[in-house]
Amino acid sequence: MTSTTTDTGTDGRITVRISDPGELIAAVPHLLTYRPGPSVVLLNHGGPKRPITPVIRADLPDETCEPDVARELLRAMLRHPGAGVTVVIIGRRPGHRAPLGRMPHNGLAHRLMSAFGDAGRPVDHALWVPEIRGGARWRCYHERCLRGVLPDDRETVLAATMATTGQVTYGSREEVARLLDPDDRAAITRRQRMLDAAIDNWPARPIPTVPGSSDKAKQAGSPDKAKHAAAGSSAVEPHGAAEPADRTAGRGAAPDWFGEAESAEHLAVVRAALARAVAGDFDLSDEDVVSLAMALSDLTVRDRCLTTADPPGEPPATVAERLWLELVRRTPVPERAEPAVLLGYSAYRRGDGVLAALAFDNALAAHPGHRLAELLRICLSHQLPPETLRRLSDCQEGGLMPM
């Protein structure tokens, strides 16, 4: 039984090959980007020289729910090509007691092995470990009953390789979620007032009239109501880690309709911010945040920003993703939804489903009913492969990143 080997390709990318089950378990926090608690984790093996993707995690179910959970996990994994699967069960569900002589969650492990075997994708390893920490003892559910001791996951070859590329492994999912928390509530209140003023000064959208609709036209033609109609929302009540609920009372999002001249100005604002980001400057003034919030509310501009996620994981996409994250932390609701959906799209494209889910949820908390966030959240919940989303950016004109 072996260990871990590495190869460096002609493009400079490092490939880490893992064949030891203990090393594979120790890789789970790095593949998920955080250290999971009690969970069932599936790792899809694409075949020789293919990456382990996707990595799907679920909470450990009650025994009565195991058949449904097994079916859902199978359905999600089979949406991706693969040659085999590793099942890792971590810890125990609260209240679970394994029968004498059986491993914890034995029934779930064997349901998954049977389901994947029937589907033609064998389970290479089915492993249990009480927790992922150095020195923990792992065991195998297969009859050959392999067992061993976990290495320290912080000191593996994979951990060192990921550290050299700047990838971070967090202590928990909650720690990842805190990355999206507002940076300074007083500053957000200040920017909220600035956005209110900018929106109030924006001209109302002309309301076309038809015979017999004069009363409705007059009603909708008032500046405030026209702006709210154009925005597609009225007062928004944020949820979760967001600003106080009365923060946006009485106003809608920034207008999402703009003429060609305004869109050109908005594109210039975004290009300038991306150029500064590429140079390592992520310092955003209040004026910068407000200008970018207005620019990204222009859906033509927002949709063109989807192209910054390509190629996924490459330095330009990483820089753009960090800019969207900074804007999520600094932008008031409901305008925060636009950088949040861009952040989620970029994370989804490079295979980080955890950050993508958090970002889409953040967007929907900032702007309930946000169409693109809802669409992408559904795609993610159904485990659609990241490459299937490429058509969203392929149909947009790029050219936003500096050459």
Side-chain angles (χ1 to χ4, degrees):
M1 186 179 312
T2 71
S3 46
T4 304
T5 60
T6 61
D7 290 317
T8 303
T10 56
D11 59 357
R13 292 188 181 186
I14 302 174
T15 300
V16 180
R17 292 188 174 86
I18 302 172
S19 55
D20 177 71
E23 293 270 354
L24 197 57
I25 297 171
V28 166
H30 306 294
L31 296 173
L32 283 174
T33 72
Y34 72 95
R35 187 181 303 279
S39 306
V40 52
V41 179
L42 303 184
L43 292 80
N44 186 51
H45 303 285
K49 299 184 179 180
R50 298 290 300 274
I52 295 175
T53 182
V55 178
I56 300 176
R57 191 210 70 88
D59 293 336
L60 288 169
D62 181 271
E63 288 183 14
T64 59
C65 299
E66 285 181 359
D68 292 337
V69 170
R71 280 193 295 271
E72 285 300 316
L73 290 172
L74 175 69
R75 187 179 298 116
M77 189 61 82
L78 292 182
R79 292 193 175 96
H80 304 261
V85 176
T86 290
V87 176
V88 179
I89 294 181
I90 305 161
R92 308 168 187 251
R93 186 182 57 79
H96 174 78
R97 297 186 65 180
L100 187 64
R102 295 287 186 90
M103 292 169 61
H105 299 285
N106 185 73
L108 175 62
H110 282 276
R111 283 183 188 277
L112 289 168
M113 286 190 281
S114 176
F116 278 100
D118 291 344
R121 190 171 303 184
V123 172
D124 299 328
H125 302 287
L127 310 166
W128 179 81
V129 67
E131 60 179 322
I132 299 182
R133 62 170 176 79
R137 295 186 175 275
W138 60 266
R139 295 172 61 190
C140 181
Y141 288 96
H142 282 114
E143 291 181 2
R144 59 181 181 269
C145 200
L146 299 174
R147 59 184 66 205
V149 177
L150 284 191
D152 188 334
D153 58 280
R154 298 166 298 180
E155 298 179 359
T156 61
V157 173
L158 178 61
T161 301
M162 295 185 71
T164 62
T165 61
Q167 298 181 68
V168 178
T169 301
Y170 297 92
S172 66
R173 191 176 190 276
E174 291 71 28
E175 191 176 332
V176 181
R178 285 195 290 273
L179 295 175
L180 280 66
D181 284 350
D183 67 335
D184 181 337
R185 293 182 182 276
I188 287 177
T189 300
R190 189 169 61 245
R191 295 166 196 149
Q192 182 77 69
R193 297 194 190 102
M194 295 171 68
L195 269 167
D196 288 346
I199 293 169
D200 287 342
N201 291 330
W202 199 264
R205 185 183 209 172
I207 305 296
T209 60
V210 295
S213 63
S214 57
D215 292 340
K216 291 182 180 179
K218 290 177 182 177
Q219 184 180 17
S222 67
D224 289 341
K225 291 184 179 179
K227 280 181 285 188
H228 290 170
S233 70
S234 54
V236 175
E237 181 176 346
H239 300 79
E243 293 75 32
D246 62 351
R247 171 67 88 214
T248 56
R251 66 172 284 260
D256 59 0
W257 50 272
F258 297 94
E260 289 185 8
E262 290 88 353
S263 290
E265 292 176 5
H266 293 156
L267 284 170
V269 168
V270 171
R271 281 197 179 98
L274 288 168
R276 293 196 302 272
V278 167
D281 181 5
F282 293 91
D283 187 20
L284 299 170
S285 67
D286 287 352
E287 290 76 12
D288 291 333
V289 173
V290 171
S291 296
L292 285 163
M294 292 293 287
L296 294 178
S297 295
D298 183 338
L299 300 190
T300 299
V301 174
R302 193 269 324 264
D303 290 350
R304 281 191 63 176
C305 288
L306 295 171
T307 63
T308 63
D310 291 313
E314 293 295 317
T318 300
V319 166
E321 185 175 313
R322 182 178 169 190
L323 177 62
W324 310 141
L325 175 59
E326 291 297 329
L327 285 171
V328 168
R329 298 177 63 243
R330 298 166 190 245
T331 306
V333 298
E335 288 80 13
R336 187 182 71 205
E338 307 308 340
V341 81
L342 291 172
L343 171 65
Y345 179 76
S346 178
Y348 194 164
R349 286 296 313 281
R350 64 178 173 81
D352 188 345
V354 175
L355 181 57
L358 290 168
F360 297 146
D361 289 346
N362 189 291
L364 290 168
H367 191 163
H370 190 284
R371 292 178 183 177
L372 184 55
E374 284 184 336
L375 172 65
L376 291 172
R377 192 66 177 89
I378 291 169
C379 291
L380 183 62
S381 66
H382 285 80
Q383 290 292 329
L384 293 186
E387 57 270 20
T388 62
L389 300 183
R390 182 172 180 174
R391 67 191 67 177
L392 287 177
S393 48
D394 279 352
C395 65
Q396 301 293 329
E397 182 183 353
L400 294 182
M401 301 301 293
M403 300 300 290

